[in-house]
Amino acid sequence: MSSPLTNEEAFSEPHPKFVIEGGNEGDEGHSSFHSRNTSGTHSNAESPTMTPRSLSFGAVTNPFSPPASVASFSSPEYTPGWSPASQSPQPHYPFPEITPRSSGVNSVSTSVADLSRSSSSLYGNSRPGTADFAPPVSTLSGVRLRESFASPRTRPLTIYSTAQGPGTKVQRDRPKSTMLMSDTTLSKPWLQTRDPYTRIAYFITYGVMMIGIAAGAFRCWLGWNSVALLPGNLCPVLDEKFDSSDGIFGDNGKFFREVDMSGFGNGEFEMATASENNSFVQDGFLYISPTLTSDNIGEAAVVDGTVYNITGCTFNTTEGLSYTTSTTQAVNSSQTFNIAQYNKACSAISNSTSGQIINPVQSARLSTRYSASIRYGRVDVRAKLPTGYLWPAIWMLPVDNTYGPWPLSGESFYLGSDVTAVITPHGCEIDIMEARGNGPSYPKQGSNYVRGSLNWGPLTWLNAVSKTFGWRVMHRGSYDQDFHTYTLEWDQSFIRIYVDSRLHHYLDLRMNVDFWKRGDFPAVVQNGSEAIILENPWVNGTKAAPFDQSFYLILDVAVGGTSGWFPDDSEKPWLDGSATAMGDFWTAKSQWLPSWPSDARDRAMVIDYVKMWQLC
């Protein structure tokens, strides 16, 4: 047992005492105290406690594999907080369990972790010792002092914290699923026995794919094969690019200016003139531009008290029978020059009492009647359309009346000596392009629509145009914003009309049935009190009759009209059935005149080029 402490020893400051295992024992079995002079005698216990210069009291070559002679450290039994366990060997050497610093001071024992921070034998780092004559300090103060100069604790090593050189990529093991064990064997029955439905599904899937591919290829072939092409060669008949005005108008010119005020059978409100204001060539383009008649004769003369004779009327040249008519007229082969028709075509009288006015608009109508015509072939016209209550058109009429007057086209057609018929002043015609310049907002197909049609029939009031027409719509924009090419391809077996591309055709007619059967006309028609037996007027022609003869080209810009091209509605400022329709149109000029651009070139139909080929 230990000897009793004296009063001075009991009340003196405790000092750490280090015990060296295997060393000399003293003081009745207690390990000798370690002091500066390392005398190891008990008598030196009263000397001031000095911090040892080195805490290694045994030769330790590997701090993680201590030999049996490694020194262990413990506090004497008199140290506050002493417990028997403090003298037992550390079970986790050299990493004993360390009490956190913030847990309070329960023991002043110097732990291995505290001493290891300054141990040169453990970490190869020798720190200078405390001065030889340093004043005594308490154990707790010494521990804190050593901790303030100690290196940070070594972080425990993990499988991912191995030392890597700079720029070395860490190769990490890919985590494996915990659901599958290494000795688990997955069941794969399909490797042993094939599912018969799998083979069936295979053939069905690929069979349907092959059928779809074959059907698509067949459909493409049908589409390609259905596009009829002109056989043989095409011989040029007309190729005009309007690089110069020479040879365009006048005697022997390529384009003939028709001069007429009759309304051309449609009740049109313009007069066709030969004026340079209405048709001219400039900057490589042909312009057909409408102007106001009041700009020439004044607005008062247009509406009252004026007789207007148009200069250069062409009625005698064009034989006005094809273009003019009275309200009702008997037609027979003995008909000769008609003075009433001549007056209607070449003059007008304004009278405010009767509501008759002089045609308020002047425009132009150009044709190749005397310069170029084709029987089967191709026509290309590249043009930009006008804007307003205008009716631009690119169309064709027959050169000779082989099958009777319009829409028969040809010799006069007898209805009987006492039977009358209304004659529409056009021959059977091919309309390559017709449009309304009212703009895309117009509810009756405005300038974003173009139409193509064939006019034909045994009687003027049996026009079968409803069986042979079509249109093309531009969903973004309109045809008055840019140039487009309008094309006719025509053969004895088909007629195709399109804009810019065959994919954009708006009439594709095959001549596999003659027009008499196509029209499905009645055998008998009623005209007033008379019953008329209809006979096939094209019986001596081909299946393409009456479109098997030579046609010439017409370019014109009409204004208004009473033929129904502009349907009656609330937006239309006149009615077709009104006897004063032209006067009503002029009275409402505030509705349509603002839509006309001030520049004549901007409100004109502008033609870039005209090309005609004859099938040869």
Side-chain angles (χ1 to χ4, degrees):
M1 295 183 59
S2 302
S3 59
L5 300 177
T6 62
N7 293 334
E8 294 180 359
E9 291 176 344
F11 292 98
S12 64
E13 184 177 359
H15 301 287
K17 298 178 181 181
F18 308 98
V19 180
I20 302 176
E21 293 183 356
N24 296 330
E25 295 183 359
D27 195 16
E28 297 183 2
H30 292 284
S31 300
S32 61
F33 299 154
H34 182 273
S35 62
R36 275 188 78 251
N37 54 11
T38 63
S39 60
T41 59
H42 188 273
S43 60
N44 294 329
E46 297 180 0
S47 62
T49 304
M50 299 297 179
T51 303
R53 295 184 182 272
S54 176
L55 297 180
S56 60
F57 296 91
V60 181
T61 59
N62 187 346
F64 301 100
S65 302
S69 60
V70 174
S72 63
F73 308 97
S74 63
S75 299
E77 56 197 285
Y78 306 108
T79 303
W82 175 87
S83 64
S86 64
Q87 291 184 339
S88 62
Q90 296 290 340
H92 302 288
Y93 182 86
F95 299 107
E97 296 181 359
I98 307 301
T99 304
R101 300 177 188 177
S102 60
S103 61
V105 181
N106 295 325
S107 173
V108 295
S109 300
T110 303
S111 64
V112 175
D114 294 334
L115 298 178
S116 64
R117 298 188 183 97
S118 61
S119 175
S120 61
S121 61
L122 293 178
Y123 296 96
N125 182 20
S126 178
R127 292 177 52 199
T130 308
D132 293 345
F133 299 99
V137 294
S138 64
T139 303
L140 183 59
S141 300
V143 170
R144 293 180 176 176
L145 182 61
R146 285 191 297 274
E147 288 180 351
S148 63
F149 291 96
S151 301
R153 297 181 180 181
T154 303
R155 296 178 61 184
L157 297 179
T158 65
I159 62 174
Y160 300 117
S161 62
T162 57
Q164 301 290 338
T168 304
K169 184 177 180 180
V170 177
Q171 298 293 336
R172 299 184 178 181
D173 294 337
R174 185 175 181 179
K176 297 181 179 180
S177 174
T178 58
M179 301 298 294
L180 297 176
M181 306 303 293
S182 59
D183 57 347
T184 302
T185 301
L186 296 178
S187 177
K188 299 180 181 180
W190 59 87
L191 297 180
Q192 305 297 328
T193 303
R194 289 182 176 272
D195 186 355
Y197 294 102
T198 303
R199 185 179 297 273
I200 296 174
Y202 175 86
F203 283 109
I204 291 176
T205 300
Y206 285 94
V208 171
M209 291 175 60
M210 295 303 297
I211 292 174
I213 294 174
F218 181 68
R219 179 65 183 87
C220 292
W221 179 84
L222 288 178
W224 174 82
N225 190 58
S226 64
V227 178
L229 301 177
L230 294 174
N233 297 323
L234 293 175
C235 300
V237 175
L238 176 64
D239 187 358
E240 183 54 55
K241 298 179 181 178
F242 304 104
D243 296 328
S244 172
S245 60
D246 297 338
I248 302 300
F249 305 114
D251 295 339
N252 300 320
K254 295 179 181 179
F255 288 89
F256 173 70
R257 286 170 167 154
E258 297 186 15
V259 179
D260 198 302
M261 301 178 64
S262 63
F264 301 102
N266 295 317
E268 299 167 16
F269 302 152
E270 86 287 350
M271 64 177 77
T273 75
S275 171
E276 291 287 342
N277 295 328
N278 304 121
S279 57
F280 56 92
V281 174
Q282 190 177 65
D283 300 327
F285 299 105
L286 170 64
Y287 293 87
I288 302 178
S289 178
T291 60
L292 298 179
T293 305
S294 59
D295 294 340
N296 295 335
I297 64 175
E299 187 170 349
V302 171
V303 297
D304 188 39
T306 302
V307 177
Y308 185 85
N309 295 314
I310 193 170
T311 303
C313 182
T314 60
F315 175 81
N316 294 336
T317 305
T318 58
E319 297 178 4
L321 179 64
S322 298
Y323 307 103
T324 61
T325 181
S326 58
T327 304
T328 59
Q329 174 184 330
V331 180
N332 54 61
S333 59
S334 61
Q335 181 171 342
T336 59
F337 181 80
N338 190 315
I339 187 63
Q341 293 183 18
Y342 174 83
N343 291 333
K344 184 176 179 64
C346 301
S347 65
I349 300 175
S350 60
N351 189 319
S352 59
T353 302
S354 62
Q356 302 300 313
I357 67 171
I358 299 171
N359 303 46
V361 179
Q362 297 180 351
S363 188
R365 178 184 175 116
L366 311 178
S367 72
T368 63
R369 182 183 185 116
Y370 302 111
S371 60
S373 62
I374 62 173
R375 178 180 182 267
Y376 307 141
R378 173 173 175 149
V379 177
D380 282 356
V381 178
R382 178 172 170 81
K384 183 169 73 74
L385 306 187
T387 299
Y389 258 111
L390 304 175
W391 182 359
I394 302 171
W395 51 298
M396 304 183 77
L397 285 178
V399 176
D400 301 315
N401 295 327
T402 304
Y403 298 106
W406 195 98
L408 299 174
S409 177
E411 296 294 331
S412 300
F413 185 74
Y414 286 95
L415 297 181
S417 58
D418 58 345
V419 179
T420 61
V422 177
I423 304 297
T424 303
H426 294 298
C428 66
E429 65 184 61
I430 302 173
D431 296 325
I432 300 175
M433 187 283 301
E434 291 183 290
R436 302 176 182 90
N438 299 70
S441 61
Y442 185 64
K444 303 298 190 299
Q445 298 185 351
S447 57
N448 56 330
Y449 283 81
V450 290
R451 295 170 61 100
S453 59
L454 303 179
N455 289 268
W456 52 283
L459 295 175
T460 57
W461 35 278
L462 281 179
N463 185 3
V465 63
S466 62
K467 299 179 182 296
T468 53
F469 82 103
W471 66 79
R472 180 78 183 177
V473 59
M474 182 184 294
H475 296 283
R476 296 182 179 180
S478 56
Y479 291 99
D480 62 340
Q481 296 178 345
D482 202 354
F483 286 89
H484 297 273
T485 303
Y486 304 94
T487 302
L488 165 70
E489 291 181 342
W490 171 32
D491 186 18
Q492 61 182 353
S493 60
F494 75 96
I495 291 180
R496 181 187 298 115
I497 302 174
Y498 58 86
V499 53
D500 295 330
S501 169
R502 288 190 181 99
L503 297 177
H504 298 164
H505 67 268
Y506 41 92
L507 181 63
D508 193 347
L509 182 68
R510 303 305 166 89
M511 312 286 196
N512 49 6
V513 177
D514 62 66
F515 280 84
W516 178 254
K517 292 182 179 179
R518 189 187 300 273
D520 193 20
F521 300 109
V524 179
V525 294
Q526 195 74 24
N527 183 36
S529 60
E530 288 288 331
I532 303 171
I533 300 176
L534 291 182
E535 295 182 358
N536 183 4
W538 313 298
V539 65
N540 296 322
T542 66
K543 285 186 177 181
F547 302 101
D548 59 352
Q549 54 185 318
S550 294
F551 281 70
Y552 63 92
L553 182 67
I554 300 175
L555 308 173
D556 78 287
V557 176
V559 180
T562 57
S563 65
W565 177 249
F566 294 96
D568 290 341
D569 57 22
S570 58
E571 298 180 354
K572 183 179 173 182
W574 76 92
L575 296 176
D576 289 347
S578 173
T580 60
M582 188 181 299
D584 297 338
F585 171 78
W586 177 245
T587 302
K589 58 181 177 293
S590 60
Q591 299 182 25
W592 51 265
L593 189 57
S595 67
W596 288 21
S598 57
D599 192 330
R601 294 172 298 181
D602 294 335
R603 66 173 177 267
M605 180 169 72
V606 187
I607 295 92
D608 186 13
Y609 60 76
V610 175
K611 298 180 181 181
M612 299 176 66
W613 295 270
Q614 172 77 43
L615 190 62
C616 57

